[in-house]
Amino acid sequence: TLKLSREGQTEPFSLGESLEVLDGVGTGSFVKLRCSWDAEGKRHIVSQVSFAQKVVTADLNEGARMSVLQVERTYGGKNKETFASFAETDREDTANGGVILYGLAMYQTYANRNGKLQEVNGAHIPVAITFALGADGQYTALEYWMPRDGSLYSEDLRAKFPRGRIPDTQAYVEAQQEQCLQAALAHFGMLDDE
């Protein structure tokens, strides 16, 4: 039996039991891991969901972009910055006027190297972002879901996305890259042709 500490309380935890764990990652975000343990005590991640915090907006598209940026932002500062884009492919209404946006998240980190823009890193992945609608008409991001890597990637997407539709990343990648590039050029005060 393992011991699990929840808010200062220690409880017995049996092998094979499923558990939700909150791990802090990045700046201002958390990852909720659904885990199980096998008889040998090895942890297996059943699913991974990152939560965006403090993303409140009246514009869902901007809220989605801000959520991507908050969860994925790895750099910031004078010479290096991360930019994000979100392309909605589907949506579902939730209780009390909330909504789940399904789509493709892109983040790109750029550096200003002696006046030249250089791409440092980035990713383009399907995500699902859940928003709650407040009494003030503002949407608050509650959940930022990403598929697991490897052989579970397609399985996760089919289970999460409406009607099991896996979005075609190639249909959106160029437009999203251009959005991130234009944001980087504006941030660093560079012209488009540089």
Side-chain angles (χ1 to χ4, degrees), residues 9-35:
Q9 303 294 320
T10 302
E11 305 172 17
F13 183 76
S14 302
L15 293 176
E17 182 181 347
S18 180
L19 167 69
E20 294 183 358
V21 181
L22 287 178
D23 289 338
V25 295
T27 304
S29 63
F30 293 88
V31 172
K32 179 179 180 181
L33 302 174
R34 279 197 185 92
C35 304

Side-chain angles (χ1 to χ4, degrees), residues 98-121:
V99 65
I100 302 172
L101 297 183
Y102 299 91
L104 294 158
M106 174 176 280
Y107 71 91
Q108 299 286 138
T109 300
Y110 292 93
N112 180 352
R113 309 263 165 136
N114 300 319
K116 300 278 185 192
L117 194 63
Q118 180 181 6
E119 187 176 323
V120 176
N121 68 6

